[in-house]
Amino acid sequence: MSDPQEARDVTPGEAEEVEEVPVLVVGGGLSGLTTALFLGLYGVRPLLVEKHPGTSVVMKARGQYPHVMEALRIGGVADAVTAASPGGTGEFYMALAKTLSGPVLRGIMTEGEMAMSHVSPEDWAMASQERTEEILAARARELGARLRFGTELVSFTQDAAGVTAVLRDRAGATTRTVRARYLVGADGRHSPVRKALGIGMHGRGHLGDVFRVFFDADMSAAVSGLEGNVAGGGRFALFHLLDPVPGVFYTTDVPGRYGYIRGMSNDQPDYTGWTTAQCEELVRYGIGVPDLAMTVVGTGETTITCEVADRFSDGRVHLIGDAAKVVPAPGGLGGNTAVMDGFYLAWKLAMVVKGQAGPGLLDSHDPERRPVSEMIAEQQYTNTVERLGPDLDATGAAAPIHPVTQVFGYRYAAGGAVVREVGDAGELLEDPTAPTGRPGSRAPYVPLDAVGVPSTTSLFGRSFVLLAGTGADGEVWARAGADAAARLGIELPVHRLGGWEKAYGVTPGGASLVRPDRFVAWRAQGPEGVGGLEAALRAVLDRPSA
């Protein structure tokens, strides 16, 4: 019998040839490529289709938070992403300033304001989206994913057993039918998948439009007073400028090439048909360098929207990335959350496809990811009011949450694939510098002295993991873990270590069960809880009791 994971062509009678795949990913941006990569890592070979001829070639967002770098480390691409960053490091300079020449009103990342080394072993990276997509695509192929660019989704239907999709090769205008067990909608802000499902959006909606200009120039004199060689091909730099109009100036991967974004205001010009000379004057005026010589190399207008899908799942179809939520750029969590959406969904899909989990595991996608997306949308709206659109209505804008808490402190409690404890009020956030280790919280980062094990975080990402102590009780947990893994047919390495227990809220005789995505699924305060391990796994994985 052939491998059920292998895509293959079948001919049922005289019917049209149908290609069978375990998972069809629609969309080849950050979220879709990440999903394909991690499905491959977990032993499932998906088919990804993208209507464009290749990965993005347009200069878009950049930057990877440390929690994203942890995921990319698991996927085997963290070093490549760091190497693709300006200067080959994650160092960058970001500030809110009155003008390009100063004064700096607030350092966003000038002196380590967003350092996260106390909660993560990873540093920032500053790779562009276009380079990151190339890296993700290459790794996904290496892991067995099939990527078809220049191929669009025409239509799809779903039933109790799977999804039937019609695809079109845009070059040859030919169509073919694909049968998948699950479909992932990663097809962007205008998502045809989401619209076909009739899923609406909620939130603040359309905020305005911004105009961007890319230009080549010698900026060394204009930024000569700034540290870090930000104009000469060193670390990445971005300035949110307030005078004379709100705008953004930033460096790119190309030495001597810069971007300028004219922010939103009540007196927004109509940019239709603007000449090169007009674009040059817009830049000179916006950055306050009236005599700057430049060559405009590209322009474009972008709509700024802030809204979240009403639901992220519909039967066998799951939304991620911009198909699930569209957020303004300030804060940098749009693209980062897209990557994490793929990482968080892929392990669930893989375990269900391989028969290691029941379909109910996927029911957790919406309750786990939608509240986080709504929080991020509101936080980035608050940032937008401050940095890009001061004329926006700030009424009801969310109070700022520190980025460390946003990315390392959010929790999955209500409706998540965790065994919730009595007394857990289901808070969305906790302080990651004072972790509780509760189920639904991110597994705390604890540096360790063990040989070959630098930290707890280094243990996670490939499968469920059980942490236990080094004493006799740890031996009991090791046996229980091996027995449960054998009965359920899953991987469950047991790591017996010391020094992690306090951060995870258990005694030296207790244990903590951590999901592949580094969230605590269940814990036992002491050895008396050993009998609950298999039941906890069955609950999380939607596996009926034996």
Side-chain angles (χ1 to χ4, degrees), residues 142-522:
E142 183 180 301
L143 292 169
R146 293 189 304 138
L147 311 183
R148 282 191 196 156
F149 289 95
T151 302
E152 65 182 336
L153 175 70
V154 176
S155 63
F156 70 92
T157 58
Q158 62 173 316
D159 52 49
V163 179
T164 301
V166 177
L167 308 177
R168 176 186 293 120
D169 180 340
R170 301 186 82 184
T174 58
T175 63
R176 67 181 305 155
T177 300
V178 168
R179 179 70 173 171
R181 291 183 60 182
Y182 293 95
L183 186 150
V184 177
D187 51 341
R189 63 190 302 162
H190 301 298
S191 179
V193 170
R194 185 187 67 237
K195 292 177 180 178
L197 294 170
I199 297 176
M201 304 285 281
H202 63 274
R204 296 181 181 272
H206 177 255
L207 304 182
D209 300 283
V210 297
F211 188 68
R212 65 184 182 275
V213 179
F214 293 107
F215 62 97
D216 292 342
D218 180 358
M219 295 293 298
S220 55
V223 294
S224 60
L226 297 173
E227 299 178 355
N229 190 26
V230 297
R235 58 178 173 165
F236 174 73
L238 184 149
F239 295 88
H240 291 280
L241 307 175
L242 298 183
D243 284 340
V245 292
V248 181
F249 167 84
Y250 55 100
T251 61
T252 72
D253 288 345
V254 181
R257 179 163 296 172
Y258 305 93
Y260 174 73
I261 296 174
R262 207 279 197 181
M264 295 177 288
S265 66
N266 291 331
D267 61 346
Q268 196 82 336
D270 180 0
Y271 300 109
T272 304
W274 267 40
T275 65
T276 297
Q278 287 175 301
C279 294
E280 291 174 350
E281 285 307 308
L282 179 79
V283 173
R284 294 187 183 108
Y285 178 71
I287 66 176
V289 186
D291 57 349
L292 180 68
M294 72 177 76
T295 301
V296 173
V297 296
T299 64
E301 196 166 2
T302 300
T303 297
I304 306 299
T305 305
C306 185
E307 55 188 10
V308 178
D310 294 339
R311 61 185 187 278
F312 285 12
S313 297
D314 187 302
R316 289 177 172 265
V317 183
H318 303 281
L319 304 178
I320 59 173
D322 286 357
K325 79 274 174 219
V326 183
V327 300
L333 282 170
N336 279 270
T337 303
V339 171
M340 299 311 292
D341 282 349
F343 173 61
Y344 292 136
L345 178 60
W347 73 268
K348 297 177 182 180
L349 282 168
M351 293 195 79
V352 172
V353 166
K354 293 192 294 186
Q356 297 173 328
L361 174 61
L362 291 167
D363 292 342
S364 64
H365 175 60
D366 177 83
E368 289 191 353
R369 296 305 297 161
R370 186 155 50 88
V372 174
S373 296
E374 289 170 340
M375 174 195 69
I376 289 171
E378 284 301 298
Q379 286 298 301
Q380 302 218 163
Y381 178 78
T382 295
N383 293 338
T384 301
V385 172
E386 178 192 36
R387 306 176 194 175
L388 198 62
D391 292 337
L392 290 172
D393 182 7
T395 304
I401 300 169
H402 196 282
V404 171
T405 301
Q406 287 188 58
V407 302
F408 286 105
Y410 61 81
R411 303 184 61 239
Y412 301 148
V418 301
V419 180
R420 187 169 168 178
E421 293 180 342
V422 175
D424 186 339
E427 301 97 331
L428 179 62
L429 296 170
E430 70 176 27
D431 181 0
T433 66
T436 64
R438 292 178 294 174
S441 300
R442 184 180 184 275
Y445 164 60
V446 180
L448 299 171
D449 295 327
V451 176
V453 186
S455 71
T456 50
T457 303
S458 68
L459 302 171
F460 310 138
R462 293 294 188 121
S463 66
F464 277 81
V465 166
L466 187 67
L467 296 181
T470 57
D473 292 329
E475 179 91 18
V476 174
W477 282 110
R479 289 196 298 270
D483 290 344
R487 282 193 288 269
L488 292 169
I490 64 170
E491 292 182 53
L492 182 62
V494 180
H495 295 283
R496 298 178 58 197
L497 304 161
W500 61 275
E501 300 93 340
K502 182 178 179 181
Y504 284 70
V506 302
T507 70
S512 180
L513 178 67
V514 181
R515 306 187 329 185
D517 57 6
R518 305 159 305 169
F519 279 78
V520 176
W522 171 84

Side-chain angles (χ1 to χ4, degrees), residues 51-114:
K51 65 181 180 180
H52 292 104
T55 55
S56 177
V57 296
V58 178
M59 285 184 273
K60 296 181 179 179
R62 75 166 60 243
Q64 292 77 31
Y65 275 70
H67 74 306
V68 173
M69 293 303 291
E70 289 182 6
L72 297 181
R73 177 73 58 195
I74 295 166
V77 295
D79 290 340
V81 170
T82 298
S85 303
T89 74
E91 293 184 359
F92 62 101
Y93 186 103
M94 187 179 301
L96 179 69
K98 194 171 181 65
T99 68
L100 188 58
S101 59
V104 171
L105 304 177
R106 182 165 69 85
I108 299 171
M109 190 63 170
T110 58
E111 298 180 355
E113 293 92 341
M114 291 176 66

